[in-house]
Amino acid sequence: MVHTGSFTKRMVKTDRGDYSVGFKPNKDGFDLTMTPKQMDAEHRSFYAGEDGVIHGDDQGPANENSPVVK
């Protein structure tokens, strides 16, 4: 996938500073997650599906049922 469209070699690395990034295909498209290495008041987790709506959670891993980030 590297060098296909806007997908760069840098994007392959899932360890992104304070966060770990996850990408998972599913029957409807994909799930993208960003989970902090240390959950605290300054770091929350994020989830986005193919619809582009970003969800966030400051108590644990975010998912499609987490509140929408405004």
Side-chain angles (χ1 to χ4, degrees), residues 3-15:
H3 302 299
T4 302
S6 61
F7 199 90
T8 66
K9 187 174 182 177
R10 182 174 176 256
M11 296 169 79
V12 173
K13 187 177 178 186
T14 59
D15 182 359

Side-chain angles (χ1 to χ4, degrees), residues 28-52:
D28 297 323
F30 63 86
D31 296 326
L32 178 66
T33 58
M34 290 186 64
T35 307
K37 293 177 183 172
Q38 181 174 335
M39 189 75 67
D40 58 28
E42 295 180 13
H43 297 89
R44 61 180 167 168
S45 60
F46 298 95
Y47 165 90
E50 192 167 307
D51 62 3

Side-chain angles (χ1 to χ4, degrees), residues 5 11 14 16 21 26-28 31-32 36-37 41-43 45-47 49 51 53 57 59 64-66 68-70:
M11 296 169 79
T14 59
R16 310 292 284 175
V21 178
N26 64 37
K27 64 181 175 111
D28 297 323
D31 296 326
L32 178 66
K37 293 177 183 172
E42 295 180 13
H43 297 89
S45 60
F46 298 95
Y47 165 90
D51 62 3
V53 177
D57 196 325
Q59 301 296 315
E64 67 274 1
N65 299 316
S66 299
V68 174
V69 174
K70 296 180 181 186

